Amino acid sequence: MARFELKLPKMGESVAEATITNWLKQVGDTIEVDETVLEIATDKVDSEVPSEVSGVLVEQLFGKDDLVQVGQTIAIIETEGGLVQESKPEAIPESVVEVEKTITIAKEIIAEPIAFADSEKFFSPLVKNIAKEEGISITELEAIAGSGKEGRVTKEDILKFVESRKSNGLTPTNSNPQPQTISVNGGDEIIEMDRMRKLISGYMVASLQTSAHVQSFIEVDVTNIVKWRDRVKNEFEKREGEKLTYTPIFMEAVAKAIKDFPGMNISVDGDYIIKKKNINLGMAAALPNGNLIVPVIKNADQLNLVGMAKAVNDLGNRAKLGKLKPDDTQGGTYTVTNVGTFGSVFGTPIINQPQVGILALGAIRKVPAVIETPEGDFIGIRQKMFLSHSYDHRVVDGALGGSFVKRVAEYLEAFDPNRTF
């Protein structure tokens, strides 16, 4: 028999760790090649870890909710054969090993909701992580009797506290009894947020606390775009095997505008402004369960319309199926959200930290409009939409924020109705 070390795989240049959320295989279970052994989660995406070999799971080196670094061995699988097998540890790039200079302010705020610094006690990173996930206050944490060296609180200590609190029907932050779900005669229900919704909630509040949000709005005539898409969409799908939506057309215009106004392609780290070399467009996508995720189109300015359509469709489809990889949501430098999908004319989106701007695309509507011609003005039916630009007034003034969204509108209105794809 041989022993194979299953390691936490590399999940992208900017992903260094993940939390184990569920073991699908237990010690003693038989595992086939490519069969999923456990589920993991980064701060934005859930993922699966498959086995590279067939065999029997003989050891789990980490438990549920443990934080694991990329390249660490997480399980031992016993295989047939006389040689000891080990998975080859992937080299962890320096960009992962070193702390990135562009750590987001939003993550700092969310990662430290509990005033650990105010306590004289030492708490390990794992204990802190569990405390944050379970909403344990610093007062509760200090009151836990630690069984570790010098009375330190261990993982087992805090998990016992969590289990005891749940069994007593107590809420995470106080001692008032409260059932997790209440429904009386078809009345109100109290339902705990799932993990992703808790993260989204934290990110949104943190962004508003971090950035000075201001908005600029502009109306755009997209009649030429609508007519062109209606004319070529069937041919496009037949030739490219992809559906042609409006999103890649809008993303193309945004990427061009960012090249014209690189001041929108920055992030803020304390008192420093970081100018981003690459233009990586985040694409906000609604999930079937009602949650939100933002996959990223890398180097969007280097894609033609066909490439952009393929990237948009691929990320959108995998987001709906829950098949995004952790790296698919990392590295965004500017975000676009389509509020028009749900019928909204315009919106005031919240900035995706540590970026400094986000553009909301409103619904396309047929409206009466004044059309200027050499022979005079007349009223006609045009296809129009609103662009809503939220930007961080700490580093983006009205001139830049307004000029940027105006440039996006100019690219859309100048769309060539005779262009090929």
Side-chain angles (χ1 to χ4, degrees):
M1 305 296 285
R3 291 166 66 85
F4 177 87
E5 294 183 1
L6 180 65
K7 300 178 184 294
L8 184 66
K10 177 181 173 183
M11 297 171 287
E13 291 294 325
S14 55
V15 182
E17 61 188 17
T19 300
I20 295 175
T21 57
N22 188 30
W23 281 96
L24 301 180
K25 293 292 184 178
Q26 303 301 322
V27 172
D29 287 352
T30 299
I31 301 171
E32 300 297 331
V33 175
D34 293 330
E35 189 174 7
T36 300
V37 179
L38 69 157
E39 296 173 331
I40 57 174
T42 66
D43 61 342
K44 291 185 179 179
V45 144
D46 294 344
S47 189
E48 299 174 342
V49 177
S51 174
E52 302 170 47
V53 297
S54 297
V56 176
L57 181 63
V58 295
E59 191 174 354
Q60 295 174 345
L61 301 181
F62 292 90
K64 182 180 178 182
D65 297 326
D66 281 356
L67 195 63
V68 185
Q69 301 298 311
V70 168
Q72 279 191 292
T73 301
I74 49 183
I76 303 296
I77 300 172
E78 196 170 76
T79 66
E80 295 290 340
L83 298 176
V84 176
Q85 301 181 30
E86 288 189 0
S87 60
K88 296 180 181 179
E90 295 195 51
I92 303 175
E94 292 184 8
S95 59
V96 173
V97 177
E98 298 178 357
V99 178
E100 294 183 7
K101 184 177 179 181
T102 57
I103 295 175
T104 72
I105 295 173
K107 286 185 180 178
E108 290 174 355
I109 292 172
I110 296 166
E112 289 289 329
I114 304 172
F116 294 117
D118 295 340
S119 176
E120 296 181 357
K121 285 190 172 184
F122 170 83
F123 300 107
S124 69
L126 176 57
V127 168
K128 287 181 180 180
N129 186 55
I130 296 173
K132 287 180 288 186
E133 287 288 331
E134 297 294 338
I136 297 172
S137 69
I138 190 65
T139 301
E140 291 176 308
L141 194 56
E142 288 181 323
I144 298 175
S147 61
K149 184 179 179 181
E150 297 179 355
R152 292 179 180 177
V153 176
T154 66
K155 170 191 168 185
E156 289 71 25
D157 296 331
I158 193 171
L159 291 180
K160 285 180 182 178
F161 175 80
V162 171
E163 187 61 33
S164 173
R165 190 174 59 180
K166 288 181 179 179
S167 64
N168 290 328
L170 303 181
T171 63
T173 56
N174 59 57
S175 57
N176 295 324
Q178 176 182 319
Q180 291 187 357
T181 302
I182 298 175
S183 179
V184 181
N185 296 326
D188 296 344
E189 288 189 357
I190 300 174
I191 303 172
E192 184 180 5
M193 295 181 187
D194 60 26
R195 187 189 66 85
M196 182 174 284
R197 178 50 57 182
K198 288 178 183 177
L199 288 170
I200 293 171
S201 175
Y203 284 135
M204 296 299 98
V205 172
S207 182
L208 289 174
Q209 292 173 339
T210 300
S211 297
H213 282 65
V214 292
Q215 284 84 27
S216 293
F217 307 93
I218 192 166
E219 191 174 28
V220 190
D221 189 328
V222 292
T223 304
N224 285 344
I225 292 175
V226 172
K227 289 182 177 179
W228 180 82
R229 175 181 172 273
D230 287 343
R231 179 172 59 83
V232 306
K233 63 182 181 181
N234 291 334
E235 181 187 352
F236 185 94
E237 184 173 3
K238 182 178 179 180
R239 195 186 88 175
E240 302 297 335
E242 300 280 349
K243 290 187 179 298
L244 178 62
T245 65
Y246 291 114
T247 301
I249 301 173
F250 297 144
M251 291 298 221
E252 181 184 57
V254 171
K256 288 181 180 178
I258 288 178
K259 291 192 74 172
D260 295 340
F261 294 96
M264 290 306 310
N265 203 49
I266 66 174
S267 65
V268 180
D269 184 8
D271 293 330
Y272 295 91
I273 294 172
I274 301 165
K275 293 183 177 180
K276 300 292 187 177
K277 178 182 179 181
N278 298 328
I279 297 175
N280 300 332
L281 295 184
M283 180 184 74
L287 299 176
N289 62 3
N291 287 325
L292 181 72
I293 199 163
V294 185
V296 177
I297 301 172
K298 307 292 174 62
N299 299 308
D301 57 312
Q302 299 178 21
L303 299 175
N304 60 18
L305 188 59
V306 173
M308 190 73 79
K310 289 180 181 293
V312 166
N313 292 344
D314 172 58
L315 291 172
N317 291 335
R318 287 196 287 122
K320 292 177 183 177
L321 296 173
K323 298 297 183 182
L324 288 175
K325 299 176 181 178
D327 199 46
D328 290 329
T329 62
Q330 305 292 324
T333 60
Y334 188 88
T335 296
V336 178
T337 180
N338 191 351
V339 299
T341 300
F342 310 103
S344 295
V345 178
F346 57 81
T348 55
I350 297 174
I351 295 168
N352 186 15
Q353 296 294 327
Q355 299 164 25
V356 298
I358 181 171
L359 186 70
L361 309 172
I364 298 175
R365 302 165 300 133
K366 286 184 179 180
V367 297
V370 175
I371 301 174
E372 298 179 357
T373 70
E375 291 75 29
D377 298 343
F378 65 94
I379 301 295
I381 302 299
R382 306 295 289 178
Q383 300 272 7
K384 290 197 172 188
M385 66 182 292
F386 282 99
L387 303 179
S388 310
H389 186 209
S390 291
Y391 47 96
D392 188 345
H393 212 353
R394 294 178 304 162
V395 290
V396 180
D397 292 327
L400 174 57
S403 297
F404 169 78
V405 71
K406 185 173 183 291
R407 183 61 53 84
V408 176
E410 290 170 350
Y411 278 127
L412 294 176
E413 292 189 337
F415 187 89
D416 181 3
N418 299 313
R419 74 178 285 182
T420 57
F421 53 84

